[in-house]
Amino acid sequence: MLMQEQRETIVHYGKKLLSSGLTVGTGGNLSYYDPAQGFMAITPSGIDYLEMVPEDVVVADLQGNIVDGKLKPSSEFEMHAIVYRNRDDVTGMVHAHPFYSTTISCLRQPLPAIDYLVAHSGDKEVRCAEYATYGTKQLAENALKALGSSQAVLLANHGFNVVGKDLHEAFAVAEQIEFCARLYWQAKAIGEPVILPDEEMKMMVKRFEGYGQIRK
């Protein structure tokens, strides 16, 4: 099976999208890119994550030509493909509708540095992309522009996108961003939170560049 390992990983994290509370129902989508082959594995449209099997995951090139799989790919195909066409440091992406991050996106404002963990996004804050209808080229372009060189972006009135050097990293960062969004939501409910200064966040971004360990 073409891109078997990546497809199995997508199925694994699809289930974690639900168990981690990052989405509900069939909302959101995951992808994994293989730059050597130029192919992207992406979740199919409207399939229950708990019932999904690796064969359901669609493999296509970045122009949308399906090379393996019988199902229709996610309606947000272009929002994933445009990232891989423009970011050679990225091979994994999570698009989801988490409760707290989506709440912040409905205010159409960035998620500020409520906690140093926001630096997992690769920036001092998580910017919010301009609104566009789901599944459109305009949304894909808006998301890419707001993402810039960072790893996370809010989508106005929609959810968020998180990218990484692989899908494992993208998912881990997604969980951190949703945690910070919840902190911000809860702090705003009882007062005005103190936001960490830009200088501190720049230092944290640098420190996170070498964070973690490499498995051997």
Side-chain angles (χ1 to χ4, degrees):
M1 182 170 59
L2 192 62
M3 295 185 70
Q4 180 173 347
E5 183 178 350
Q6 292 93 333
R7 290 161 100 171
E8 291 174 349
T9 300
I10 285 174
V11 169
H12 170 73
Y13 281 111
K15 292 176 173 59
K16 286 197 70 175
L17 273 181
L18 294 176
S19 64
S20 298
L22 291 180
T23 201
V24 295
T26 61
N29 26 80
L30 305 166
S31 69
Y32 215 142
Y33 180 57
D34 182 351
Q37 298 184 81
F39 296 152
M40 173 177 70
I42 188 168
T43 47
S45 179
I47 300 295
D48 190 325
Y49 291 112
L50 297 179
E51 298 178 358
M52 191 181 301
V53 295
E55 290 79 7
D56 293 330
V57 177
V58 182
V59 177
D61 63 23
L62 298 185
Q63 288 67 50
N65 300 302
I66 296 176
V67 296
D68 195 16
K70 299 179 180 180
L71 300 178
K72 182 180 178 181
S74 168
S75 60
E76 299 292 6
F77 181 95
E78 178 60 18
M79 193 163 66
H80 291 253
I82 196 172
V83 172
Y84 300 130
R85 291 197 298 265
N86 288 275
R87 291 277 300 271
D88 59 11
D89 60 322
V90 170
T91 68
M93 178 169 154
V94 174
H95 164 62
H97 308 151
F99 183 81
Y100 295 98
S101 295
T102 304
T103 297
I104 305 305
S105 83
C106 289
L107 300 176
R108 301 197 181 185
Q109 67 177 51
L111 171 63
I114 183 69
D115 187 284
Y116 73 92
L117 293 174
V118 170
H120 277 295
S121 71
D123 207 341
K124 65 179 182 179
E125 64 182 12
V126 180
R127 293 181 291 276
C128 185
E130 292 185 12
Y131 180 80
T133 304
Y134 88 92
T136 62
K137 181 180 179 181
Q138 188 62 61
L139 176 59
E141 292 175 347
N142 290 357
L144 179 68
K145 180 180 179 181
L147 179 67
S149 60
S150 72
Q151 288 189 244
V153 60
L154 302 180
L155 307 178
N157 303 84
H158 186 153
F160 69 15
N161 292 346
V162 184
V163 302
K165 66 178 184 295
D166 52 33
L167 189 53
H168 308 286
E169 180 181 73
F171 196 92
V173 173
E175 290 184 302
Q176 296 286 359
I177 298 307
E178 175 64 356
F179 170 77
C180 291
R182 181 171 184 172
L183 285 182
Y184 186 60
W185 184 92
Q186 292 182 169
K188 290 286 283 187
I190 59 174
E192 193 59 36
V194 176
I195 303 305
L196 295 174
D198 290 355
E199 295 74 17
E200 175 70 9
M201 293 305 291
K202 288 178 181 177
M203 181 181 69
M204 293 311 305
V205 168
K206 198 69 177 175
R207 292 187 69 174
F208 280 150
E209 288 178 359
Y211 182 78
Q213 300 187 43
I214 299 174
R215 291 183 180 273
K216 296 183 179 180

